[in-house]
Amino acid sequence: MKTFLIASNRLPAKIKRSEEDVILEPSVGGLATGLRSFYQSYDCSWIGWPGLPSEELDGLEDKVAGLLEQESCVPVHLPSNLLNGYYYGYANRTIWPLFHYFQHLADFDSRLWESYREANHRFADTVASLAAPGNFIWVHDYHLMLLPRLLKERLPDCPIGYFLHIPFPSFELFRLLPEREEILDGLLGSDLVGFHSYEYARHFLSSALRLKGCDIELNKVLVGNRTVKVDVFPMSIDYDQFSSPPDLDRAGEIIKDARQRLGDRKMILSVDRLDYTKGIIQRLQAFELFLERNPALRDKVLLVLLVVPSRIAVPQYARLKKDIDELVGKINGRYGGVAYAPIAYLYRSLDFPDLHALYGMADVGLVTPVRDGMNLVAKEYVTAKSNGRGMLILSEMAGAVMELGEAIMVNPNNHGQVADAIVQALQMDEEERETRMRAMQDRIRRYDVTRWAEDFTESLDNCWVELRQEQAAELDPEEPGKILEEYLKAENSLILLDYDGTLIDPAEDAESEAIDSRLRDLIISLTNIEGNTVVVLSGRTKEDLEQSVGSEDLNLVAEHGVWLHDVGGKWRMIAPLDNRWKEDIHPILRFYADRTPGAYVQEKDYSLVLHYRKSEPDLATIRSSELLEALLPSASQMDLDVLEGEKLIEVRNRDVHKGRAALHWLEKKRWGFIMVAGDDTTDEDTFRAMPDRTFSVKVGGGHTSARYRVKSANELRSLLWRMANKKV
Ligand code: ADQ
């Protein structure tokens, strides 16, 4: 059985003080209930803060640990000064507002950040002390965004998944965060990062691209020699629990009260945690407008406004509570009578039977957050209306809209639209309500919370298997083992080396004359060893390549295989080539370069290249796919290959590639040892053109057909130096 370690800020059970003792209470809330069945079917430990500052548990730590152990929970104790900076501070006063697009409420204070970092380190210490190689680690939410990286460094043999329960904002917002790069680094320590919606995943990828310059292949981010998968897992609820009939015997007085007060009025239900993102003020304003515009309906409805206390220690929440109290008072004062008030306001947490019964009674579920990662209340309400007799009004700004498209959609800031939606929901005919509600219920049933958890963990498992396959080729330049052994045994060796990205790192080594000259020494040393044939293959022009490595005493390939140069010989073309096609293709490339700031066209003897390394990445992606489409018809007519390289598109004669050029040397004799090293897609041609026994080495991350991998150009050079020094 797999072992899972789950880490989240809160545990599924919370500690409460009673006199001199402590007791354990189950936590409510989506994550705790959602993961319960998953949690019970695996060997799991849950690591989190037990809900009280450590000072309040002084002397009771053993008792707390014992109680939590019975629930397979392990506490991370945090003192109140740290909690203030980490939980009430950076998590809820910086990240929460910023990620929900309330930028004006975000507090950028480096002291809060320090606490956040410290708390994440404490979580890392606890998780690392419990983990064994092969354990699966699942980190949750915005409180612990640094944790994946801290764990990856200490537990390289554990798959790490991370799920964000709130929106990931657009790059324009995210870039405002002073610690944006540390946060991204933290998240990119995971093997799998999950979001509720595609939009959040897209924003995350865009930030990784723009801020870290990471290479992205579809939904995979290449980080050094690792791949991080990014995917969408819309969280759901326990369908069976909410779809079963409410247990009215267990429901309390509150339900009796509600029935009496309701009479034959229709009930509109609003349920949220106290939070400015939930749009409670805007909802009340819209309800007021509804009452104003519809005098005939005034005494026919009751809005039950249920608000759960939350984060009241954060000043904005205390202020919001006051504003809600006042607005409810104002509306009730204006539209209520002696025996009736249009809003029944409850500021408390309800037990499940009460909440469930209220969902069952409500004719309309009014869920209008101004921004919400998902919103489980909407799914709970729809599921609880198994008689099909309710209607959901849902904000476009909730992540849940993607799955609840049959609800009446509203913009929560458009009070007129929300007021009209209430009328529409109240007056909708039975058949239409039922059809819409059933469609939503079916979808929630198919993807309930258990499916969600399984989907995430299976996906993490798959990532790990893929990763291990990729890692199987990892080569330690200091201990190259078989590769060196075979090389030393062989009487004659063919060594084919790509230049940019393989022998030199374009970011770190470019334009460095010291590197160029040391590299020349290395290539010459290897070439001078008896029996060795070394070839440097490049996409550069022959002039450019000569300038970097010289030419006289080297075997070289320029322009991806158009030009060949043998030791002591002259440059010659691989085959007679025609380049008249350039007249037609050049204007197309230039047209795209002119419309893409930072892009330019390079003309080589037998190819044309559009470079866009310096362009705005999103625009470059759009333009390059447009360009590929525009080039396709001409390319097939003129027998040209269109190639996507590292931030470039190259057009060249078909069948001219490094692989073909490599054959020129491969076919010269029967080699005892063959090695090929490369870093990008153009080198994959060479890897594939070689016999199976070839020692192919990929430099850096990403998919490859090579057998081995080293992390960087620097590592490859170390390996080559060892080869040069061992056999002199
Ligand atoms: P929340 O912001 O807490 O969660 P939500 O998804 O609506 O928002 O979950 C609230 C939970 O609290 C629901 O399960 C609901 O039943 C319960 N609840 C609400 N009022 C209650 C009351 N008075 N008494 C008892 N229980 C009550 C965050 C993100 C969301 C995301 C979830 C899950 O902000 O966008 O959907 O995580 O990922």
Side-chain angles (χ1 to χ4, degrees), residues 165 196 271 273 278 308 348 350 372-376 380:
H165 290 262
H196 284 305
V271 178
R273 257 186 331 95
K278 302 290 181 184
V308 199
R348 75 196 71 155
L350 293 191
D372 211 337
M374 170 54 69
N375 194 296
L376 298 180
E380 292 169 358

Side-chain angles (χ1 to χ4, degrees), residues 85 89-90 93-94 106-115 178-179:
Y90 198 78
R93 272 165 49 198
T94 309
D107 198 347
F108 300 120
D109 177 341
S110 59
R111 285 165 305 176
L112 304 182
W113 164 248
E114 287 309 323
S115 300
E179 302 79 16

Side-chain angles (χ1 to χ4, degrees), residues 28-31 33 96 100 141-142 163-167 196 200 235-237 242 270-275 277-278 306-311 346-352 355 359 367 371-378 380 398-400 452:
V28 281
L31 186 60
T33 44
W96 178 271
H100 284 87
D141 228 358
Y142 62 101
F163 188 83
L164 184 68
H165 290 262
I166 65 172
H196 284 305
Y200 310 153
M235 187 174 170
S236 193
I237 57 159
F242 282 93
S270 150
V271 178
D272 313 86
R273 257 186 331 95
L274 177 73
D275 207 300
T277 61
K278 302 290 181 184
L306 180 57
V307 180
V308 199
S310 174
R311 303 175 199 167
L346 305 169
Y347 178 64
R348 75 196 71 155
S349 176
L350 293 191
D351 289 339
F352 177 75
L355 180 66
Y359 280 148
V367 183
R371 190 70 62 168
D372 211 337
M374 170 54 69
N375 194 296
L376 298 180
V377 168
E380 292 169 358
W452 169 78

Side-chain angles (χ1 to χ4, degrees), residues 377-511:
V377 168
K379 292 186 173 180
E380 292 169 358
Y381 171 71
V382 167
T383 307
K385 299 304 294 181
S386 45
N387 59 11
R389 297 235 310 276
M391 192 61 218
L392 174 69
I393 298 174
L394 181 62
S395 159
E396 291 162 3
M397 315 302 169
V401 285
M402 302 311 290
E403 296 152 277
L404 304 179
E406 291 80 5
I408 301 175
M409 297 294 176
V410 291
N411 173 348
N413 302 310
N414 185 339
H415 300 165
Q417 191 189 29
V418 177
D420 290 347
I422 297 175
V423 178
Q424 189 191 348
L426 291 169
Q427 295 175 348
M428 189 177 282
D429 75 66
E430 286 300 319
E431 207 184 316
E432 183 176 352
R433 276 166 185 258
E434 205 167 319
T435 317
R436 289 187 180 211
M437 292 294 270
R438 292 254 181 268
M440 293 190 272
Q441 284 160 359
D442 284 349
R443 222 168 286 131
I444 300 172
R445 190 184 59 241
R446 286 197 299 271
Y447 199 87
D448 70 353
V449 73
T450 312
R451 241 326 272 293
W452 169 78
E454 283 171 4
D455 199 11
F456 185 91
T457 49
E458 273 168 27
S459 190
L460 179 58
D461 198 5
N462 292 339
C463 287
W464 192 240
V465 171
E466 272 179 36
L467 202 74
R468 278 216 293 232
Q469 281 167 356
E470 281 181 19
Q471 276 181 342
E474 199 102 358
L475 193 72
D476 179 352
E478 302 307 319
E479 286 293 333
K482 199 164 167 48
I483 199 163
L484 197 60
E485 217 176 274
E486 293 290 315
Y487 166 69
L488 293 175
K489 267 200 304 204
E491 278 182 17
N492 47 48
S493 302
L494 176 62
I495 300 168
L496 302 152
L497 305 166
D498 167 57
Y499 190 68
D500 290 285
T502 303
L503 286 171
I504 57 157
D505 182 317
E508 288 173 21
D509 308 328
E511 321 287 334

